[in-house]
Amino acid sequence: QVQLVESGGGVVQPGRSLRLSCAASGFTFSRNGMHWVRQAPGKGLEWVAVIWYDGSNKYYADSVKGRFTISRDNSKNTLYLQMNSLRAEDTSVYYCARDLGSATSCLDYWGQGTLVTVSS
Amino acid sequence: DIQMTQSPSTLSASVGDRVTITCRASQSISSWLAWYQQKPGKAPKLLIYKASSLESGVPSRFSGSGSGTEFTLTISSLQPDDFATYYCQQYNSHSVTFGGGTKVEIK
């Protein structure tokens, strides 16, 4: 069965960096696009970034463009999110999610999420 | 970016009720719309994709309709397990956007 397990969350000071990971199993990782979606405490869902199945294209929300970088290692079945210059408003649960296809942007499986808290 | 507006933001209903949630897009998205269900402390779950296609394993009491800018999610007979928050999501463009959510509460 499809499993997505995020890790790397924690408490970090404003301006610092953090890297999230998402370990995938139960499917052929290299065939699906992958996304990061976040949810601030008590708020709705906010899409963060997508990377195509082969890593050839990446797109970001305006709120993170230039600060966050999505990447993947298909040999390790792992998705990453490098977050730099973190701000208080980046505090959220970060979910990785599988694309229904190679790059449809419909999300059919989600991880359990990892909490990132940006605070001094 | 395409804006997605859901209504209502909160809905109070009883078990057995027919429930309808509306989602409007700021511009046409054809049928590139999905619906998700989220329970407290859990990840969202895909219910409907391409506006009206039921995801595998989702009960048939859930249905979706619409195209262009107006979409609806209908629960034909609300069950205790359905009390949750529902989100629409457009995927017409690479810049994905979600609606603000509709919380379905027990009346």
Side-chain angles (χ1 to χ4, degrees):
Chain A
Q1 71 282 19
V2 173
Q3 277 201 314
L4 301 169
V5 179
E6 301 94 337
S7 60
V11 180
V12 60
Q13 293 179 327
R16 304 298 291 265
S17 299
L18 204 61
R19 188 177 84 155
L20 305 183
S21 300
C22 171
S25 61
F27 66 103
T28 304
F29 183 69
S30 59
R31 290 183 182 173
N32 292 79
M34 294 295 296
H35 299 250
W36 288 98
V37 177
R38 68 184 181 182
Q39 186 169 36
K43 302 297 184 182
L45 300 170
E46 181 187 15
W47 175 79
V48 173
V50 59
I51 184 168
W52 285 20
Y53 68 104
D54 59 356
S56 60
N57 285 286
K58 306 172 186 180
Y59 299 92
Y60 299 90
D62 288 344
S63 58
V64 307
K65 204 172 293 182
R67 299 188 300 123
F68 289 12
T69 301
I70 189 171
S71 62
R72 66 191 295 160
D73 186 336
N74 285 348
S75 68
K76 295 183 178 179
N77 291 347
T78 304
L79 174 73
Y80 303 99
L81 185 68
Q82 177 67 43
M83 304 185 294
N84 299 332
S85 303
L86 282 161
R87 307 167 179 166
E89 54 265 35
D90 295 319
T91 294
S92 290
V93 173
Y94 284 76
Y95 296 101
C96 68
R98 190 183 83 161
D99 196 293
L100 189 64
S102 58
T104 70
S105 289
C106 181
L107 312 176
D108 64 349
Y109 284 92
W110 298 59
Q112 84 289 348
T114 187
L115 176 62
V116 173
T117 303
V118 183
S119 173
S120 54
Chain B
D1 285 359
I2 300 173
Q3 307 303 315
M4 305 301 292
T5 304
Q6 275 184 247
S7 61
S9 55
T10 306
L11 187 160
S12 296
S14 301
V15 173
D17 284 353
R18 182 181 180 88
V19 166
T20 299
I21 299 168
T22 298
C23 183
R24 290 187 175 86
S26 59
Q27 63 188 73
S28 178
I29 57 170
S30 185
S31 295
W32 302 117
L33 184 102
W35 290 97
Y36 300 86
Q37 176 193 68
Q38 187 180 33
K39 296 182 179 178
K42 300 294 186 182
K45 173 187 173 184
L46 177 64
L47 300 175
I48 302 282
Y49 62 96
K50 210 172 178 185
S52 60
S53 296
L54 193 67
E55 172 70 346
S56 176
V58 174
S60 58
R61 63 181 179 271
F62 291 91
S63 64
S65 64
S67 65
T69 61
E70 293 257 344
F71 302 87
T72 59
L73 173 71
T74 300
I75 309 172
S76 60
S77 177
L78 198 64
Q79 297 303 301
D81 191 48
D82 301 337
F83 291 96
T85 300
Y86 294 85
Y87 294 92
C88 63
Q89 175 227 340
Q90 68 81 16
Y91 53 105
N92 180 70
S93 69
H94 292 304
S95 186
V96 168
T97 45
F98 290 90
T102 296
K103 185 175 183 180
V104 177
E105 298 180 327
I106 301 172
K107 191 172 185 180

